[in-house]
Amino acid sequence: MTRRGHLVTAGGVAAFLVAGTVFISGLGSLPLMEPDEGRNAEVAREMAERGSWLVPTLEGLPYLDKPAAYFDAVALSLRAFGNDAWAARLPSVVCGFATLALLYAFSLRVYEPVTAALVVIVAGTAPLFIAFSRIVIMDGALCACTTAAILAGFIAEAGAMPDRRWHAAGAAAAGLGTLVKGPVGTIVPALVLVAFFVADGRPRALRRVFAPVNVAIVLGLVLPWFLLLVRAHPEFARYGLVEESLNRFLTPAFHRGKPLWFFLPVFLATLMPWTVLLAPMAVAAWRERARLTSADRLLVAWALVVLVFFSLSRTKQPAYILSGVVAAAALVGRGLGYAWRRRDGRASHLVARTAIVLAGMALAGAAALGWLALRGSQDGPSAWLGLVWPQLVCALLLMALCGLLAWRERRVGFAVAAGCVVQIALFTVALPGAAAYARARSVEPLAESLARVPQQVEIAAYEGYPAGLSFYLDRTITLIGDDAHALPSNFVPYWLRRSAALPATIVSSAGREAWISSRGNEVLVLAPAAQREALASWLGDRGRVHPVGANWWGAFIAPRAGR
């Protein structure tokens, strides 16, 4: 094997081992967190149980907030491996690795093996990317599709002659991204490629990017799904095109409005600690911008377009900028690779100086963490720190040591180690703390307390929704309230407002007495702690309200014949 072959093998294996550690370690030991993970896992469980691959449902209600593709993947995983948290998370892990594999292959093609490995390490340990590669949510799948579409568009024009097959592959990836999370799956890659080819002085390439055959590929993937869904639910035509897409971008209708500058601090925070390297690298790159390669300009355009585009949106969520964070991480990896090959160059000196900042941040973080752990309550929200603060403090001290060594020895490898040691520790030696943190934000304790409730006992939720309880108990529950406002869904209330009658799994406040009187089996009515008094007032002497799990109360109501 050639020296390059050894570098490709050794560097690639090491990089993917780092990513694998933070993606897979403890995947099934962390409970599903509310509301997203519990809801999405339950949607997939219902799809797997009913075989309804076109129309996702939540508690039997049509859940058309997002397309079905990601839920289908999770449902297939559940069918193959059972209703378990790790099986529900497996598609996100696969998509995370797919994104890294695409970045690695791209970097091998346009840079060299060391840089390719560093790109994988930096991207794979960026906090935002770790999160969405480990939880049951579709943003990791969207990121993989977006990455594939953008990189395919670049490669199509990278040779002496354009390769329309790569453009077709990019169009297919954009179409799949649309099936994962709607029009943004096509819009973002298109905007990135437009910005890149214009900035790169090759605007004519856009004729091939948007060639009729590529448009036909996207439409061929998306239109059949859309038309079949509209046939099943005609109201989705307006909801999908207007409410979920245009209104989400142009209005604060989804109550997630944030200031224009919101994504800049989010961007910097969710790339930490690599942000400390990104900032000086960006300044240095600007000064040497004439020497940037075409691939460098692609990554810059990618990060900036994502940041600007979603900053203009009236609805803002950190997940929106995931692919932009990945592009920025790739830029950091590119800078580290450049410094690695030139130990005595300016890039290496820049990394060494920056490593001092990493060391200082680590020491400050260790001191702050120790102070918080010693002062924190053992029963409050920060109780999980008591389980792991010694391990995390040790990891931060090791990070500081690596930073100091990187500065003293001018070794880029020490700076890389400083950048990822805490993330690795969080999912290995500090895993009990991560599990305690997740458990405090999960209905798993409630599900455990209800595990012995017989299947014939109906379960209803009063003015609240324990997201994930149905997944853990392998059954649907009834919602009692004036509408489905407690459900973490925008489409279900929209659909109910246009329905002639409430479905069986929704009981209005006016109809709750008739419903409870009609039950032929015992009913367990649950309510969040904030609704405890209201539940007790409604039930009166028909059932004693008692605690049934963390922040949840409940009462068993005997069937009508037994009252």
Side-chain angles (χ1 to χ4, degrees), residues 165-227:
R165 293 172 299 179
W166 279 108
H167 281 307
L176 289 175
T178 302
L179 292 176
V180 167
K181 206 175 178 182
V184 70
T186 297
I187 292 172
V188 169
L191 290 176
V192 170
L193 291 175
V194 167
F196 164 66
F197 282 120
V198 170
D200 209 43
R202 295 184 287 163
R204 290 186 178 182
L206 295 175
R207 298 181 189 176
R208 293 180 288 275
V209 172
F210 300 108
V213 65
N214 298 328
V215 175
I217 289 171
V218 174
L219 294 178
L221 286 170
V222 174
L223 273 182
W225 158 77
F226 182 78
L227 295 176

Side-chain angles (χ1 to χ4, degrees), residues 64 225-227 229-246 491 494 498:
L64 303 184
W225 158 77
F226 182 78
L227 295 176
L229 199 53
V230 169
R231 181 180 179 185
H233 285 276
E235 66 277 5
F236 178 73
R238 175 177 172 79
Y239 180 84
L241 295 176
V242 179
E243 301 291 335
E244 181 65 23
S245 299
L246 290 178
F491 176 79
Y494 178 89
R498 288 155 179 79

Side-chain angles (χ1 to χ4, degrees), residues 24 26-32 37-38 40-42 44-45 48 73-91 134-136 444 468 470-474:
I24 298 174
L27 193 67
S29 63
L30 304 183
L32 298 173
E37 281 204 288
N40 293 338
E42 172 56 16
R45 185 195 71 83
V74 178
L76 290 172
S77 180
L78 296 178
R79 277 197 170 186
F81 304 110
N83 286 0
D84 193 273
W86 77 267
R89 291 170 173 146
L90 184 59
R134 287 184 61 96
I135 64 176
V136 191
E444 185 183 58
S470 297
F471 177 83
Y472 280 115
L473 297 182
D474 200 19

